Amino acid sequence: MNNRLKIGITQGDTNGVGWELILKILSDNRITELCTPIVYGSSAAASYYERTLKEYDRVKFLNTEDVRRVDAGRIYLVECGPKDLSVTPGKPSKMGGEAAAQALRRAIKDLNSGAIDALVTAPIDKEMIQSDDFSFTGHTEFLAHELGGTPLMIMTSEIMRVGLATIHVPVSSVSEALSEELIVERLQQINSSMVQDFGIVKPHIAVLALNPHAGDGGLLGSEESEIIKPAIVKAFEQDIMAFGPFAADGFFASGQFKKYDAILAMYHDQGLAPFKTLTPDGVNYTACLSAVRTSPDHGVAYDIAGQGKADEQSMRNAIYEALDIVRRRRAWKRWSAHPLEHFEREKGRDISVKDLPQFEESND
């Protein structure tokens, strides 16, 4: 019987670095000591990229159509993608996008049914994946459509966690998209995720300003005084430890980010540019959905696809993070379901450390 967590892994765009990352990670058979990997992708694409990675051990896949019936210690492949798939590394193609979409849809079906415990997605080309059947701006929006809920994008690593108030929104539309209600909701989400997904008892959250110098008292914009500050006050009244708004440049340059458990950025590049610069092997986590999904913090990297140069560490970290979040979520669910009843049952018993959920203290 397989008691290890089952981690679904989608192939991503078959002309990008996705398969190279997957094969490099799975060539080390120690991965099966941590989980049961189930790859959703094309065996033809896998074979193509295996020939380019001669210094790595060949991955032994077992084909399956029923991921509920798998054994620990094995690596599985669920066949997905066009039957006439043509692999052209580094060259965008609609076929590569279709292969990514088919793998993603098949994996989401299993994730939704509980057949797999979490999903790790290799990078897609957001333009090439577009079709009559797939009209989403990215994984995040697709997952929200399929799983329900309002997703929060969190970039996470050992040194920082950055959530986004707005996600895939043009810079010209960011100010219009922001509202006091949205920022309060994002602070509620990030606070909840820090507790349940990351095990931080009382997270301290830094909120970034939208404008340079945090608006300079209104000289460079009024969003800080009219939207962001009132939202922080309202969140604080709800017992959320939110602080700011901080001017983004000084906040990261001074190292101030180290004092907080999480950061809420107002838009995509404001948060992701410093995150990727300071922690290049980080993970993209889609929080606040019914299931766990992570991915590496980079794209398809067409410029190095098929050359054996891709660094797999971010993808490996995405697998590790998915495993950790699933376990923390389950621990939190057990401990918060009936806390008084649980306390009475445990009272007077010598509880060992391994029995306790692994929660951290706040950094502050």
Side-chain angles (χ1 to χ4, degrees):
M1 183 178 179
N2 184 4
N3 292 321
R4 292 175 191 164
L5 293 179
K6 290 180 283 188
I7 303 297
I9 304 171
T10 56
Q11 65 183 352
D13 191 294
T14 49
N15 298 325
V17 295
W19 264 113
E20 181 179 331
L21 304 176
I22 293 167
L23 292 170
K24 285 181 175 180
I25 292 167
L26 298 184
S27 66
D28 184 344
N29 57 21
R30 289 176 296 180
I31 193 70
T32 58
E33 297 174 10
L34 302 175
C35 64
T36 300
I38 301 168
V39 181
Y40 294 81
S42 163
S43 56
S47 297
Y48 180 96
Y49 285 102
E50 276 188 324
R51 292 193 292 270
T52 70
L53 299 173
K54 297 178 181 178
E55 69 273 27
Y56 290 85
D57 292 336
R58 187 177 182 86
V59 180
K60 296 179 181 178
F61 289 103
L62 291 179
N63 288 79
T64 185
E65 284 296 321
D66 184 1
V67 301
R68 293 184 183 275
R69 301 172 63 86
V70 295
D71 299 319
R74 303 293 186 89
I75 299 171
Y76 290 86
L77 176 72
V78 178
E79 188 71 37
C80 302
K83 292 183 178 179
D84 58 345
L85 178 66
S86 176
V87 179
T88 55
K91 297 180 180 179
S93 75
K94 295 303 290 185
M95 185 173 285
E98 174 60 21
Q102 286 191 26
L104 185 57
R105 288 193 180 280
R106 180 68 171 82
I108 284 291
K109 180 181 177 181
D110 286 341
L111 185 66
N112 231 339
S113 70
I116 57 177
D117 296 296
L119 178 63
V120 178
T121 58
I124 60 172
D125 183 324
K126 294 180 176 62
E127 181 181 355
M128 291 299 105
I129 201 173
Q130 298 300 312
S131 69
D132 293 339
D133 297 325
F134 194 102
S135 56
F136 304 93
T137 53
H139 279 113
T140 305
E141 293 76 13
F142 175 73
L143 288 162
H145 179 268
E146 294 295 313
L147 299 176
T150 302
L152 171 68
M153 180 185 289
I154 296 179
M155 307 300 292
T156 175
S157 73
E158 292 183 354
I159 66 170
M160 75 171 83
R161 304 174 189 91
V162 180
L164 302 182
T166 61
I167 304 177
H168 295 127
V169 174
V171 173
S172 60
S173 303
V174 170
S175 178
E176 182 182 343
L178 291 175
S179 67
E180 181 180 328
E181 292 74 21
L182 173 65
I183 295 173
V184 170
E185 180 183 15
R186 292 306 197 196
L187 287 170
Q188 292 168 340
Q189 287 182 302
I190 201 167
N191 184 74
S192 176
S193 180
M194 290 303 106
V195 174
Q196 299 179 33
D197 300 332
F198 294 92
I200 300 171
V201 176
K202 195 69 174 177
H204 288 201
I205 306 166
V207 182
L208 299 184
L210 173 66
N211 297 299
H213 308 163
D216 261 348
L219 293 174
L220 300 178
S222 60
E223 288 86 356
E224 284 73 24
S225 61
E226 295 179 358
I227 298 174
I228 302 175
K229 283 184 179 179
I232 293 171
V233 171
K234 186 170 290 187
F236 207 91
E237 291 171 349
Q238 297 175 12
D239 202 28
I240 296 172
M241 306 301 288
F243 304 88
F246 300 102
D249 57 348
F251 181 80
F252 289 105
S254 66
Q256 196 172 4
F257 67 89
K258 298 176 184 178
K259 299 179 181 179
Y260 295 89
D261 301 296
I263 302 157
L264 181 64
M266 293 298 104
Y267 60 94
H268 187 277
D269 285 12
Q270 183 188 52
L272 268 62
F275 178 88
K276 292 184 178 183
T277 300
L278 295 168
T279 176
D281 294 330
V283 174
N284 181 352
Y285 168 48
T286 308
C288 302
L289 295 179
S290 59
V292 174
R293 174 262 175 170
T294 63
S295 74
D297 69 349
H298 58 74
V300 291
Y302 284 138
D303 57 322
I304 58 171
Q307 301 174 37
K309 297 179 180 179
D311 185 342
E312 71 275 19
Q313 191 56 48
S314 181
M315 185 75 168
R316 181 180 288 112
N317 289 343
I319 295 174
Y320 295 160
E321 193 71 84
L323 291 167
D324 288 343
I325 291 172
V326 169
R327 292 183 179 120
R328 292 193 197 107
R329 272 195 180 190
R330 293 179 180 179
W332 175 256
K333 186 176 181 180
R334 290 195 304 271
W335 279 72
S336 60
H338 304 287
L340 291 177
E341 177 184 330
H342 184 86
F343 173 77
E344 290 298 328
R345 186 169 63 251
E346 299 293 356
K347 188 167 59 177
R349 187 170 74 85
D350 184 17
I351 306 173
S352 67
V353 173
K354 65 181 178 61
D355 293 325
L356 300 174
Q358 299 303 301
F359 296 128
E360 303 172 5
E361 292 295 328
S362 167
N363 288 332
D364 197 9

